[in-house]
Amino acid sequence: MPAPHGPLFPPPRRSGRGAALTLVFASVLVAGAATGSFNESLGASRAAAQGTPTDDAGGPVAARQQEVTRAAARAMAEGTSPLEAAERAVSRSGDRWGAVYSPDEYEEFQESLDGEYTGVGLSAGRESDGRIEVTRVRSGSPAAAAGIRAGDRLRSVDGKRVDDRPVTEVVSILRGDTENGGGRDATAGTRVSLGLQRDGRVWTKTLRRARLSTEDVTTRRVAGRTTVIRVAAFTKGTGDQVRAAVAGAPARDGIVLDLRGNSGGLVAEAVTAASAFLDGGLVATYDIGGEQRALHAGRGGDTTRPVVVLVDGGTMSAAELLTGALQDRCRAIVVGTRTFGKGSVQMPSRLPDGSVAELTVGHYRTPSGRGVDGRGITPDLEAEGDALARAGNVLSGLGRS
């Protein structure tokens, strides 16, 4: 059985059929307090497993999967919503991380893991007075080409006022997501009209959405011979980008690996990222079907540079797996606040109406055997607002920056 492709992420819960946010914003709801702003490229993460494993309470996962499937089938036969029936069955199961997704939601979920999305290339945040402000514009995006800048006020999207709306809703409209069952109707090339304001000037600009990559890995140098590598999520290709960033850093630089607000992603990518700092060896173990399996780093990583990992309450799942590996292997000092604590594996299964149910089937552990789920990772050095400065001090103390 192959290793799961990605864990570990608290899925959204619907309060009603039409009220669901699309899956791509699930991570925002949990990590928003830690990150403070939201990006239309934010994605989620999942675990793919096979077989009929046993859960941590000893009950057969297969039986729970069958109950959810039967609930959906009964609803179809009765002419009621199979998706809502499946959701109720998952809720009754007591599975904390279990969820049901519509076909469109799951398609977008999988698409987000490819590191691509459809949008205009801006991030937004809500001010204390309820105004929506552009916090970042991606270079080369439709928003950048239209002259939109960070700091501009976003007044409306397609004629709909956005003041006082949740930022996730605003981003959903920007992307072209619908609210009818969580589906999507936007594709690259579709138009979206933005009402903007800057220094008293008010104007409207119509953009065409485009396919964009998520830019989940960014690198910068700071004072004191330090290279900061920020990883926003573990999407496809992220691990190799981390390895390239480490290899390309000046030889005398220490590394700060910033995983704050990282909501997880593909486990294989987190393992590849770990391989940038390790020369083989154990990264994590996980249980599937009552059997323990192991994930190992590749050979040839840089084992000499000092490394500090920055974490916070928005550091989740695959990011926690990576943090725990580097901490347990004595390869990095962890600085920040306790991580979120999601170390479970979900198995997707297709329901009769085409929707997808994901149920918990196992848990990850760090190389020393620590469980992450419900516990999180405790940093070696507690730090909040001054975390990056503290990381620099740690590197200085290690004698390399």
Side-chain angles (χ1 to χ4, degrees):
M1 182 190 303
H5 293 288
L8 309 176
F9 184 80
R13 293 290 189 184
R14 292 181 178 80
S15 57
R17 180 64 189 268
L21 290 173
T22 55
L23 187 63
V24 76
F25 304 116
S27 60
V28 181
L29 302 179
V30 176
T35 60
S37 63
F38 301 85
N39 189 301
E40 60 183 358
S41 69
L42 283 173
S45 54
R46 66 184 178 94
Q50 298 174 353
T52 55
T54 301
D55 64 18
D56 57 343
V61 172
R64 290 189 285 136
Q65 291 172 328
Q66 290 167 6
E67 174 55 32
V68 174
T69 299
R70 284 195 294 265
R74 284 195 300 268
M76 288 184 69
E78 295 167 359
T80 58
S81 170
L83 188 144
E84 291 182 2
E87 286 177 334
R88 289 192 294 270
V90 170
S91 180
R92 288 194 301 268
S93 76
D95 188 337
R96 182 184 180 191
W97 304 120
V100 182
Y101 307 126
S102 72
D104 281 337
E105 283 178 327
Y106 205 69
E107 178 188 351
E108 187 162 355
F109 191 0
Q110 294 176 302
E111 191 175 80
S112 72
L113 293 176
D114 288 335
E116 294 185 341
Y117 68 103
T118 298
V120 297
L122 62 79
S123 304
R126 190 166 75 177
E127 300 297 297
S128 58
D129 61 2
R131 294 185 304 170
I132 302 297
E133 183 175 292
V134 176
T135 58
R136 180 172 175 264
V137 177
R138 179 194 165 129
S139 61
S141 67
I148 299 172
R149 305 175 192 167
D152 289 347
R153 177 184 174 188
L154 183 63
R155 295 165 55 89
S156 64
V157 180
D158 282 339
K160 300 176 181 178
R161 299 279 300 181
V162 296
D163 287 351
D164 296 317
R165 287 190 179 216
V167 178
T168 49
E169 287 186 18
V170 177
V171 173
S172 182
I173 300 170
L174 282 170
R175 287 175 53 95
D177 300 314
T178 71
E179 295 185 352
N180 297 320
R184 295 177 295 143
D185 63 3
T187 58
T190 56
R191 295 176 182 269
V192 58
S193 177
L194 308 186
L196 299 152
Q197 181 176 339
R198 180 192 306 156
D199 298 330
R201 175 193 167 209
V202 176
W203 78 102
T204 300
K205 191 71 176 179
T206 298
L207 311 180
R208 287 187 181 273
R209 297 180 178 94
R211 292 295 294 167
L212 302 169
S213 61
T214 54
E215 289 188 317
D216 289 318
V217 179
T218 55
T219 304
R220 63 189 175 97
R221 290 195 79 207
V222 298
R225 296 202 306 270
T226 298
T227 294
V228 179
I229 302 172
R230 172 161 175 75
V231 186
F234 288 102
T235 54
K236 189 174 181 180
T238 296
D240 284 336
Q241 291 177 52
V242 171
R243 294 193 64 145
V246 172
R252 291 176 59 82
D253 275 17
I255 300 293
V256 173
L257 182 63
D258 190 351
L259 301 180
R260 292 175 295 179
N262 184 315
S263 57
L266 298 168
V267 167
E269 298 297 338
V271 172
T272 300
S275 302
F277 307 100
L278 300 169
D279 185 20
L282 188 63
V283 173
T285 60
Y286 63 98
D287 54 278
I288 294 289
E291 297 182 11
Q292 290 292 316
R293 302 179 183 276
L295 299 170
H296 292 91
R299 306 287 300 191
D302 187 330
T303 61
T304 60
R305 293 181 192 267
V307 180
V308 171
V309 180
L310 289 183
V311 298
D312 63 9
T315 304
M316 302 163 62
S317 25
E320 291 176 289
L321 181 150
L322 172 57
T323 300
L326 297 182
Q327 188 180 52
D328 279 7
R329 298 280 303 273
C330 300
R331 186 61 191 91
I333 302 297
V334 179
V335 175
T337 57
R338 183 185 291 272
T339 63
F340 183 83
K342 186 173 191 299
S344 58
V345 185
Q346 280 70 50
M347 174 191 290
S349 59
R350 189 73 63 174
L351 300 179
D353 66 331
S355 55
V356 175
E358 285 197 342
L359 299 177
T360 300
V361 298
H363 296 85
Y364 283 85
R365 293 184 179 276
T366 68
S368 68
R370 289 184 294 163
V372 174
D373 204 54
R375 300 181 180 90
I377 300 288
T378 301
D380 300 303
L381 177 63
E382 292 280 343
E384 294 191 40
D386 62 343
L388 184 55
R390 298 290 294 275
N393 291 338
V394 169
L395 290 175
S396 296
L398 294 174
R400 289 293 303 278
S401 64

